[in-house]
Structure formats: C-alpha cells, structure tokens
Amino acid sequence: MRDSEEKHGPAKAAGRQLQLPLHTNGNRIVDAGGRTVTFTGVNWFGLETNTFAPHGLWSRSLDDMLDQMAAQGFNSVRLPFSNELFDAASKPNGVDYKLNPDLQGLTGPQIMDKVVEGITKRGMMVILDRHRPTSQGQSNLWYTDKVSEERWISDWKMLAKHYRDNPLVVGADLHNEPHGEATWGTGGDKTDWRAAAERAGNAILAENPDWLIVVEGIESYDGDGYWWGGNLQGAAKDPVRLKDQSKLVYSAHDYSPKVWSQRWFTDPAFPANMPALWDKQFGHLVKNNVAPVLMGEFGGRSVAEKDAQGNKDLEGIWQRHLISYMKENGFSYTYWSWNPNSGDTGGVLKDDWKTIDQAKMDLLKSYQSTPTAKKP
C-alpha cells in the first residue's frame, strides 16, 4: 500500500479491502491477502481513436457516465489508448465542454488522467490497453513503420511510472489482438509475439513491479486459426517468461458469427462443440492451473436464444454459453463494450448513450464479482 492512496478518496477504502497489489497464484488472480480477485468489467473506448477522448462525452458528463458504469456493478474498466495520444499534435475533440468544463483545454493524456482518476475514485480497477499504434487503426504486430518497438516500450514505461501511485491502476494489456504474421515462440525479433511480450513486460515491471502484465494470444498457431488475439495454444509449450512470473495474466478475445462466420458456428453440434474449442485455444491454461485468463473482449448485439422469426439466435446462444463457461472456470472478463457505437457488437448502452440494454446487463450480472471476492 502506498501512502499516496490518501488522495484517491473511496479508492483508499477499496484498496484496503483488496490489499493491493495483485498477483497470481496458479490460475487465480489474488490480492496481497490471498483472496481471489476476478475482473468482471467493461471496455470504454475512444482514447485510441482520433477523438483522443473516450466516446460519449459529446452527450454526457464524465462523472455521469462513470456513476452509471459503477452502478451497474462493474469492478474494472479496460481502457484502450493509442501511442498517438501522447503526441503533442493530438488534440482532443468530440467533447461537449459545457457538460465537461473541467476537461476544457486539456491534452489527451490529461483527459486520460481525469478518466483514470474518475474510475478509480469509484473503487473500480483500471487495465490500460494499448489498442492501436496510431488512431488510424489496429496493427498486426506490436510495431509499425510509424511506431517502433522502442516507442511502444518507452510509452509503456512512462505509463507504468506515471500511474504507479494509483494502486487501482492494476495492469497493462501490452498489445491488442496480435494477428496476421504474429507468431508464438518462433524466436527472433520480427514476429515472435511471446518474445516481444517478455521484453515489454519486464521493462514495465522494472518501472512498476506492482502491475499485472496482460498478454493476449495470436491469430494462428501451427496452422490453426482463431480470433485475433484469441489463440493461446502456444503458451502451453512456450510460456511467457517474466522476471516476476506471478504478474503474468494471459488474455483472449472471442466473438460471434455476426462479427465473422467461423466454421464452428455452423457445426451441427453447436453450441455443445464450444467448450472443447475454448479449452484448446485458451482454457487449457486455466484448467491446467498454469495462469489466469482474462477474456479481454467479447460482445454482441443479441443475448436471445431465438431471433424474431423464432429461429436459433447463434449470437445470443454463443454469448450465453461463453458466460457460463467463464463462470464455471473462474475467468475474468472485460465486456466489449460500454459504447453503443461499436459497429459489430453494440454496447451496454443503447444508441442514446444513456439507456442501459437491460437484457445484456442481466446476462452480465449473472456473472459479476466484486473487488472483495472471497477465496473459494
């Protein structure tokens, strides 16, 4: 516990309950007292885009948004950003400054500070997510011709140092959705995501030994393709090696046939075929007590069993079964997304940016934890 917690108000109480910092024990995330901590959170995106601010502040105040988020019972927020956010030329926009006068004149990083402060003073934890190198879009690898590996690591080191006195900023999701030519355990500096994650993770821990290091999977391993960032088969044979192994959390992403019609959705056995598929891609790490897994993104518009025509709603069935699988196996998750303007999935909020999609929220509340989860 750091004495600078004094300035975080309610976060101090949450911090006492949590006995921060967090670490891992087998397949569990635990607090300093050994109690299991399960992230059951939500993504709020926008800082990684060319607004350089979380989306929705054009229609609501930051405090109003975060009050509603906390009231839904989320205990954590995965907060995407881009490296471009930290460039002097990146000017925040898309913010109604009449509703958010305290954000007027702030830079993107200063708005990020306000958002992080607002989340943590409500007792929610923050996982920072390097979602894109630039605001223009995601990248296959952790570096591009515009953002080098050195810049990627130096920005992470800066953030680790910058937020180390806020104990509820708990982790770094190193790079969102490695895919394409990204490999695992192949050696070399160019495509081996496992090796890059070790370099970045250890550099971050040198600045802030309290943080969890969140490492996503890749897309294809030994010719077997899956969702971007969702394939963690390689971690069985070639685990990520950190100087403090108790800080390692793996992460996968999983989506519905509305995002892409993968072959497993048309299997006659669906949805009974899914648990074995999930075990193969990422669940083996939990079931074999290797490490915890955070489902960093999953989501969809429908949570229904049947569509309006009375046919099976594959998206809704998939969401329901994934929640059950995660609950049964003790996964953490951060739902995609709070925002309604995610084209593929919609959000917890409806298009007015104010109304909760109650069907979605009811499903998520069937598997919600709190920062003070008891040890089983």
Side-chain angles (χ1 to χ4, degrees):
M1 298 286 289
R2 300 181 184 276
D3 49 19
S4 56
E5 276 183 61
E6 293 289 340
K7 66 188 178 190
H8 296 293
K12 184 186 175 191
R16 270 204 309 272
Q17 293 164 356
L18 272 169
Q19 296 185 45
L20 293 161
L22 306 179
H23 64 283
T24 69
N25 182 357
N27 61 12
R28 296 183 301 129
I29 300 167
V30 296
D31 73 0
R35 292 179 298 178
T36 297
V37 176
T38 304
F39 297 118
T40 54
V42 69
N43 287 268
W44 185 17
F45 68 80
L47 280 163
E48 83 284 14
T49 72
N50 59 12
T51 64
F52 304 110
H55 287 177
L57 297 180
W58 50 70
S59 64
R60 294 178 69 181
S61 74
L62 175 61
D63 282 338
D64 190 34
M65 195 83 85
L66 292 177
D67 283 345
Q68 187 182 32
M69 199 180 291
Q72 296 308 308
F74 293 114
N75 69 7
S76 47
V77 178
R78 180 173 176 261
L79 193 63
F81 67 89
S82 70
N83 299 91
E84 188 182 354
L85 176 74
F86 308 115
D87 293 344
S90 301
K91 303 297 184 187
N93 58 91
V95 177
D96 185 329
Y97 292 113
K98 290 181 181 177
L99 297 173
N100 293 280
D102 57 333
L103 303 184
Q104 180 86 45
L106 299 188
T107 64
Q110 288 171 332
I111 288 179
M112 186 180 191
D113 284 347
K114 289 282 192 182
V115 174
V116 168
E117 180 186 17
I119 293 168
T120 57
K121 80 177 183 181
R122 289 164 174 81
M124 295 184 285
M125 296 172 281
V126 173
I127 299 168
L128 298 175
D129 156 43
R130 192 282 198 134
H131 207 77
R132 300 174 173 179
T134 69
S135 62
Q136 277 65 58
Q138 294 179 209
S139 60
N140 297 20
L141 300 173
W142 57 96
Y143 64 92
T144 68
D145 58 350
K146 292 186 172 59
V147 177
S148 66
E149 174 173 316
E150 291 72 24
R151 167 76 189 272
W152 171 60
I153 290 176
S154 68
D155 281 350
W156 267 127
K157 289 169 66 176
M158 175 271 293
L159 289 168
K161 187 176 182 179
H162 182 69
Y163 288 119
R164 67 185 175 190
D165 288 333
N166 185 337
L168 287 178
V169 183
V170 296
D173 191 337
L174 297 178
H175 172 58
N176 185 64
E177 297 183 348
H179 61 280
E181 64 270 35
T183 60
W184 191 285
T186 53
D189 294 341
K190 298 300 183 186
T191 65
D192 186 354
W193 168 234
R194 177 245 201 170
E198 292 172 350
R199 293 192 293 271
N202 285 327
I204 289 168
L205 290 174
E207 296 290 343
N208 186 344
D210 290 349
W211 268 13
L212 298 174
I213 303 299
V214 180
V215 181
E216 297 185 28
I218 56 175
E219 178 186 3
S220 183
Y221 183 79
D222 276 353
D224 186 21
Y226 200 62
W227 296 109
W228 292 359
N231 191 326
L232 281 161
Q233 293 181 54
K237 183 167 76 76
D238 295 307
V240 170
R241 301 156 299 182
L242 298 177
K243 63 183 180 181
D244 183 351
Q245 205 67 7
S246 76
K247 295 299 181 178
L248 175 63
V249 176
Y250 289 106
S251 180
H253 293 182
D254 211 89
Y255 279 107
S256 83
K258 294 286 180 66
V259 175
W260 192 261
S261 185
Q262 306 275 19
R263 62 188 182 278
W264 43 89
F265 295 121
T266 56
D267 186 323
F270 179 84
N273 61 321
M274 296 305 292
L277 177 66
W278 291 326
D279 285 351
K280 178 183 180 183
Q281 297 295 345
F282 46 76
H284 59 94
L285 296 165
V286 171
K287 291 195 170 182
N288 295 330
N289 201 36
V290 174
V293 173
L294 164 70
M295 185 58 62
E297 291 183 21
F298 75 103
R301 294 183 181 279
S302 174
V303 297
E305 297 277 0
K306 293 182 185 273
D307 63 20
Q309 290 73 44
N311 300 314
K312 281 186 177 180
D313 188 320
L314 297 184
E315 182 174 71
I317 292 169
W318 161 80
Q319 286 212 75
R320 289 180 174 277
H321 279 76
L322 181 56
I323 287 273
S324 295
Y325 176 87
M326 292 191 298
K327 185 175 182 179
E328 180 181 340
N329 293 290
F331 279 63
S332 287
Y333 72 78
T334 48
Y335 191 70
W336 190 271
S337 59
W338 181 250
N339 310 48
N341 61 330
S342 175
D344 289 333
T345 66
V348 171
L349 291 180
K350 293 189 174 181
D351 288 342
D352 63 2
W353 281 96
K354 293 178 182 175
T355 308
I356 295 291
D357 184 324
Q358 201 57 52
K360 278 189 188 180
M361 206 58 239
D362 287 346
L363 177 59
L364 292 174
K365 284 185 177 181
S366 73
Y367 181 37
Q368 266 194 338
S369 183
T370 66
T372 51
K374 299 299 183 194
K375 185 177 179 180

